[in-house]
Amino acid sequence: MMDTFACLPTFTRRHARLATWLLVLLALLVLGLGIGLRDPWPADEPRFALNALEMVTTGEFWLPHRGGELYPDKPPLFMWATALSIAVTGSVRAGFLLPSLFAALGTLALVMDLLRRLHGRRIALFGGVALLASLQFTLQAKTAQIDMLLTFFTTLGAYGLLRHALLGPAWRWWRAGWAAMGLGILTKGVGFLPLALLPAWYWLSRDGRLTPLRFRELLVGMGIMLAVIALWGLPMIVMTTLGDDPSLAAYRDNILFKQTGERYANAWHHIKPWYYYPLQVLPWAWMPLTLALPWAVPAWWRRIERRDARYILPLSAMVLIIAFFSLSAGKRGVYMLPTIPLLVLVMTPLLPGLWRQRGLQRLGAATLVLLGGILLAAGTLGSLGLPTLQALAERHDLSPWAWWITLGVVAFALLGWFKPRRGLLALTLWLAVFWVLWSTWGYGLMDATRSPNAMMQRLAAITGPDAWLALPAFDEEFLLHSRQPSVHFGSHTPIESQLERAYAWLQQAPDTRWMLIDQGHRDDLACVMLDEARDLGFQNNETWWLIPGTAVVDCQGDEDAAPLFVAPTSLPASRLAVVANDG
């Protein structure tokens, strides 16, 4: 196996084409397996699925809503893609993961094509495998969050700029790259990340090594990006400015200012230290490519000294992107996803040499021993009844021991077969096995724990399908799986005000109205007869009560409070509305 890289240059074009198709089939298996086998899981998936389902149900696409309430935290492009997938498949389960799948496949195609043009077919194939093996890339490809679609657009933007810089002039790709950045901004505000390529490009272009970077072309590109943004942004501004509803103006200000500049400069959540990305995120997010960094960094430095733009441009962009996100106090690990295609572009050409490094192979073997050993030990101890693990399993109604033991056994079996001298290969194959088992066995085990679908079915059986349900302090997954008419009281409304509204609403028709609330709010339920509450058990990290309207006594609800919001997923289109407290 150590001679594999030496043999691959003898590939004919036909062999390369066959290998490419086999890689495509592998990508479809690894990335697509499991679609339709699980519901959306928190934290973000139920929210975007609910946004998309409401678009399909109500026909209101321009301004996303969540439970009948405007959702101002993100632009709508990802929700549009999810709504289209749900509409085409006719199912949330079948459709909600498709945008991430197609975005991942598109990113894979772009990376492989650019590697082929810069370094040849052999390196392009290695690049495809390296991208699929990257832990965060495959994780996000199998997750219905915005970031995989954002990464596709940032990769397309980088592809267009790099095609023009390194292989150009290529004006069509230059323009396509700027248009992709505009679409990326309409997906998640940081779609401009490919602009991190420009400083090094300007530096290298001064001595004629690259296509010149001229101010006029930059203005044209900027105009294209702004024009794409304006396709949605201008109508949105007009609609929210001229409308009489103050919530429209709040939506405009939130999406234009709070979720962009304020979120970056004055973050209010996900606060992490400055070293969060390099020390806590990238070591696992870039795995297994992280293992090669001790050998890759000196090789990169030699290419930087030779002023090789194929390496300098992606490397400089990676460093600037990491620095950009590190400067903000608010940090999430998923923000590093757009760096992975850039890493693959600069790491893959080194792989033929790196593969022969005994130290790297043994490091891969040691990593596999660590991962397999942890899973095998945890699975064995859990199956033997270790109290700590058993208590955790009982709390979540989950017994993953056989799953973990299988993954541990596979790890050591692969290592025994390939030996430590091929440890990196064993680790890569184990990751493929992990994703296959995660997407089948893992989904089956975890879906009931992470999705309240079964609990909401039990709830509807208790109340009857026509009874109305109040959801104070609601989470999107409960609205998404509601089997009956449901209302809530504003996602950012203080819990005290929500409960005042809920009490008034429940007392208007106590025999046909119910409230679902987690037991952590026990102290806020002073005027509720809790002995009448139904304990629905533990779900989504909380224990839940179902409270009938008849259990609310001596409560002075605020009948003049803000409107209730009807959850569109529970009602036919003719009954969708924002309704007042009079029911």
Side-chain angles (χ1 to χ4, degrees):
M1 186 66 196
M2 293 298 290
D3 296 328
T4 300
F5 285 88
C7 296
L8 282 175
T10 64
F11 269 19
T12 65
R13 181 173 298 181
R14 178 183 176 185
H15 291 152
R17 188 180 298 115
L18 176 61
T20 301
W21 279 111
L22 289 175
L23 183 59
V24 170
L25 291 176
L26 176 65
L28 286 172
L29 173 66
V30 171
L31 303 181
L33 188 64
I35 289 179
L37 297 183
R38 71 170 176 91
D39 293 315
W41 291 347
D44 295 330
E45 290 181 349
R47 181 182 314 131
F48 297 129
L50 186 63
N51 294 147
L53 188 58
E54 291 195 29
M55 288 179 177
V56 175
T57 306
T58 66
E60 173 55 68
F61 285 85
W62 210 252
L63 302 179
H65 287 71
R66 173 180 57 185
E69 183 181 22
L70 282 166
Y71 175 70
D73 289 0
K74 294 292 183 292
L77 195 58
F78 180 74
M79 282 80 92
W80 290 346
T82 306
L84 178 62
S85 299
I86 291 173
V88 169
T89 61
S91 165
V92 172
R93 267 197 169 201
F96 81 100
L97 284 168
L98 290 180
S100 292
L101 170 63
F102 290 130
L105 293 173
T107 302
L108 180 69
L110 290 168
V111 169
M112 290 183 63
D113 185 71
L114 191 55
L115 284 170
R116 178 182 65 83
R117 295 174 185 276
L118 293 175
H119 303 282
R121 291 183 177 84
R122 177 184 67 150
I123 298 301
L125 289 170
F126 297 158
V129 174
L131 188 59
L132 282 175
S134 300
L135 190 57
Q136 191 180 51
F137 177 82
T138 301
L139 174 63
Q140 288 303 128
K142 303 176 77 65
T143 303
Q145 293 177 310
I146 283 180
D147 299 271
M148 194 71 251
L149 186 60
L150 169 70
T151 298
F152 168 72
F153 286 125
T154 58
T155 304
L156 179 55
Y159 177 95
L161 269 59
L162 289 171
R163 277 286 299 267
H164 183 62
L166 300 172
L167 301 168
W171 295 110
R172 289 184 180 179
W173 284 111
W174 168 261
R175 291 189 286 270
W178 285 93
M181 284 186 269
L183 292 172
I185 291 171
L186 291 182
T187 303
K188 193 175 183 178
V190 293
F192 55 81
L193 292 177
L195 295 180
L197 293 163
L198 297 184
W201 182 351
Y202 175 74
W203 173 58
L204 290 171
S205 67
R206 292 182 300 171
D207 58 7
R209 290 173 179 263
L210 300 177
T211 302
L213 189 60
R214 297 189 177 94
F215 183 69
R216 183 179 64 182
E217 280 82 21
L218 284 173
L219 287 179
V220 171
M222 189 69 69
I224 292 171
M225 181 178 72
L226 293 176
V228 171
I229 298 170
L231 290 176
W232 174 77
L234 285 181
M236 180 275 292
I237 291 172
V238 171
M239 293 168 60
T240 54
T241 301
L242 300 181
D244 296 330
D245 187 348
S247 66
L248 292 173
Y251 174 92
R252 177 200 63 209
D253 295 342
N254 193 305
I255 199 74
L256 291 179
F257 305 113
K258 184 175 181 179
Q259 295 299 327
T260 52
E262 184 178 348
R263 188 185 188 95
Y264 180 85
N266 189 26
W268 56 91
H269 58 174
H270 303 300
I271 305 300
K272 303 292 182 181
W274 65 268
Y275 54 81
Y276 176 67
Y277 293 124
L279 297 185
Q280 297 183 30
V281 174
L282 296 182
W284 70 262
W286 287 357
M287 184 67 68
L289 295 178
T290 313
L291 303 178
L293 288 177
W295 292 270
V297 170
W300 287 336
W301 184 251
R302 290 192 293 270
R303 285 154 179 80
I304 292 172
E305 290 181 325
R306 297 200 299 263
R307 295 171 67 87
D308 190 332
R310 296 174 301 174
Y311 294 87
I312 293 175
L313 291 183
L315 279 170
S316 66
M318 282 170 48
V319 171
L320 289 175
I321 290 171
I322 295 169
F324 170 77
F325 284 116
S326 295
L327 289 173
S328 174
K331 300 176 179 68
R332 295 183 67 188
V334 76
Y335 294 171
M336 291 294 100
L337 184 63
T339 66
I340 295 179
L342 297 171
L343 175 67
V344 171
L345 287 176
V346 294
M347 182 72 80
T348 306
L350 307 179
L351 285 180
L354 296 177
W355 195 266
R356 295 182 174 88
Q357 297 289 336
R358 290 185 178 181
L360 176 58
Q361 294 290 346
R362 294 184 182 278
L363 186 57
T367 302
L368 186 55
V369 168
L370 177 64
L371 295 174
I374 290 173
L375 287 167
L376 185 59
T380 301
L381 292 173
S383 64
L384 294 176
L386 183 70
T388 302
L389 291 174
Q390 281 293 325
L392 186 64
E394 291 173 4
R395 179 174 176 81
H396 292 277
D397 192 22
L398 180 68
S399 297
W401 320 130
W403 176 33
W404 291 358
I405 290 172
T406 301
L407 284 169
V409 169
V410 169
F412 286 102
L414 287 171
L415 194 59
W417 181 266
F418 291 106
K419 310 302 182 185
R421 67 178 182 274
R422 299 172 183 170
L424 202 59
L425 175 62
L427 176 60
T428 302
L429 292 176
W430 182 81
L431 286 172
V433 173
F434 171 84
W435 289 121
V436 169
L437 294 182
W438 166 266
S439 306
T440 50
W441 196 348
Y443 282 6
L445 286 173
M446 296 177 63
D447 194 52
T449 296
R450 304 206 59 189
S451 166
N453 189 8
M455 190 186 87
M456 298 306 286
Q457 291 185 42
R458 295 199 313 272
L459 187 153
I462 294 171
T463 66
D466 296 324
W468 284 69
L469 181 67
L471 293 166
F474 77 100
D475 289 322
E476 292 86 355
E477 56 265 31
F478 296 96
L479 275 179
L480 184 65
H481 291 288
S482 177
R483 295 295 194 276
Q484 59 207 104
S486 302
V487 298
H488 68 93
F489 309 92
S491 60
H492 297 294
T493 306
I495 184 61
E496 297 82 4
S497 299
Q498 291 193 51
L499 288 174
E500 287 181 0
R501 299 183 181 111
Y503 296 151
W505 180 80
L506 288 166
Q507 290 176 318
Q508 290 165 7
D511 294 329
T512 59
R513 295 182 178 182
W514 300 69
M515 179 172 69
L516 178 68
I517 191 167
D518 72 80
Q519 296 183 17
H521 293 291
R522 173 191 292 267
D523 294 341
D524 299 314
L525 302 175
C527 59
V528 174
M529 294 188 295
L530 293 179
D531 56 337
E532 294 187 22
R534 310 285 185 94
D535 190 340
L536 296 182
F538 188 80
Q539 181 67 55
N540 290 62
N541 297 318
E542 301 287 353
T543 306
W544 296 90
W545 272 324
L546 177 62
I547 298 174
T550 54
V552 178
V553 294
D554 299 327
C555 290
Q556 297 299 318
D558 184 359
E559 298 186 3
D560 297 323
L564 304 172
F565 295 95
V566 176
T569 54
S570 306
L571 302 175
S574 61
R575 294 173 65 191
L576 295 177
V578 178
V579 296
N581 277 345
D582 59 9

